[in-house]
Amino acid sequence: DAEITQSPRHKITETGRQVTLACHQTWNHNNMFWYRQDLGHGLRLIHYSYGVHDTNKGEVSDGYSVSRSNTEDLPLTLESAASSQTSVYFCASSDPSKGLVFAEAFFGQGTRLTVV
Amino acid sequence: GESVGLHLPTLSVQEGDNSIINCAYSNSASDYFIWYKQESGKGPQFIIDIRSNMDKRQGQRVTVLLNKTVKHLSLQIAATQPGDSAVYFCAENNYGQNFVFGPGTRLSVLP
């Protein structure tokens, strides 16, 4: 079955280190997104991509970067991890053929990142 | 700016009763709305969506109502079951721009 997977599921890192979270989907969706989830804020969009080599900043993009070298993967990099980036991170993908770029986003299981 | 909120942060219902989860949005230009369900330790799961040219849409045991006059969205779950216990998010979208999610409502189903 097609799916979207994130790795690792849990990560502890030190302040100032570079961290990369992986996201891989097998639906062949063009649209992919990264969100962070914090208590009291719901899901906030970090970066998104509409296809290979396309990347766009979301609401809370500072300190994060993404790259899209193929359809299946959208890795999220924290350039220099900060304690404020401790959060649960969700990757999602969707099918733009439905006519809405954000229609029916399918989410991964999440990565819990702790920056100490 | 855009914002999405929920009237009730927690909701407890008896098994078998109907549940109603409410959501207020502030951007009158939003044209698409989605309800997601998130179980503990899992990613959000799509439940149902509605376009702004509709005021009601039904799925299996769920109904979404949209009142554009007062910018209000609700999710109705019929015959609530223990498996419905989760956090529910509404999200709004404006002409294909970013979805804005609310903080969520926790639904607890009592035996």
Side-chain angles (χ1 to χ4, degrees), chain A residues 10-22:
Chain A
H10 302 273
K11 174 77 175 177
I12 300 175
T13 191
E14 295 178 341
T15 301
R17 289 192 179 271
Q18 183 181 79
V19 178
T20 297
L21 309 183

Side-chain angles (χ1 to χ4, degrees), chain B residues 35-39 42-47 83-89:
Chain B
W35 279 101
Y36 280 93
K37 171 186 180 183
Q38 186 176 24
E39 297 174 281
K42 297 183 178 180
Q45 180 182 13
F46 173 90
I47 301 174
D84 295 327
S85 293
V87 176
Y88 290 82
F89 296 92

Side-chain angles (χ1 to χ4, degrees), chain A residues 38-59:
Chain A
D38 306 286
L39 284 174
H41 289 281
L43 289 157
R44 292 183 291 175
L45 185 65
I46 305 171
H47 282 285
Y48 58 101
S49 168
Y50 291 159
V52 177
H53 302 311
D54 176 75
T55 61
N56 306 278
K57 294 181 179 180
E59 176 189 358

Side-chain angles (χ1 to χ4, degrees), chain B residues 53-100:
Chain B
N53 60 354
M54 304 170 66
D55 54 18
K56 180 179 181 179
R57 191 165 188 214
Q58 289 184 293
Q60 187 176 13
R61 281 201 309 117
V62 294
T63 301
V64 56
L65 299 178
L66 176 62
N67 185 331
K68 294 181 289 292
T69 301
V70 295
K71 291 182 286 188
H72 184 267
L73 192 70
S74 69
L75 176 70
Q76 301 179 358
I77 304 173
T80 310
Q81 303 170 359
D84 295 327
S85 293
V87 176
Y88 290 82
F89 296 92
C90 68
E92 62 177 313
N93 184 271
N94 176 15
Y95 295 105
Q97 297 303 308
N98 302 340
F99 266 112
V100 177

Side-chain angles (χ1 to χ4, degrees), chain A residues 9 35 37 40 42-43 45 48 50 90 100-105 107-109, chain B residues 32 34 36 38 41-44 46 51 89 93 96-99 101-103:
Chain A
R9 293 294 311 276
Y35 292 87
Q37 185 174 37
L43 289 157
L45 185 65
Y48 58 101
Y50 291 159
F90 287 99
L100 289 169
V101 295
F102 287 82
E104 286 192 62
F107 284 80
Q109 295 294 313
Chain B
Y32 183 61
I34 291 183
Y36 280 93
Q38 186 176 24
K42 297 183 178 180
F46 173 90
R51 297 293 302 273
F89 296 92
N93 184 271
Q97 297 303 308
N98 302 340
F99 266 112
F101 286 81

Side-chain angles (χ1 to χ4, degrees), chain A residues 56-110:
Chain A
N56 306 278
K57 294 181 179 180
E59 176 189 358
V60 290
S61 61
D62 288 349
Y64 304 93
S65 64
V66 293
S67 61
R68 188 86 181 274
S69 59
N70 57 53
T71 301
E72 297 78 18
D73 299 287
L74 187 70
L76 176 71
T77 298
L78 286 68
E79 303 295 343
S80 177
S83 58
S84 61
Q85 294 177 307
T86 293
S87 185
V88 180
Y89 292 85
F90 287 99
C91 179
S93 71
S94 70
D95 178 7
S97 67
K98 293 184 182 294
L100 289 169
V101 295
F102 287 82
E104 286 192 62
F106 295 88
F107 284 80
Q109 295 294 313

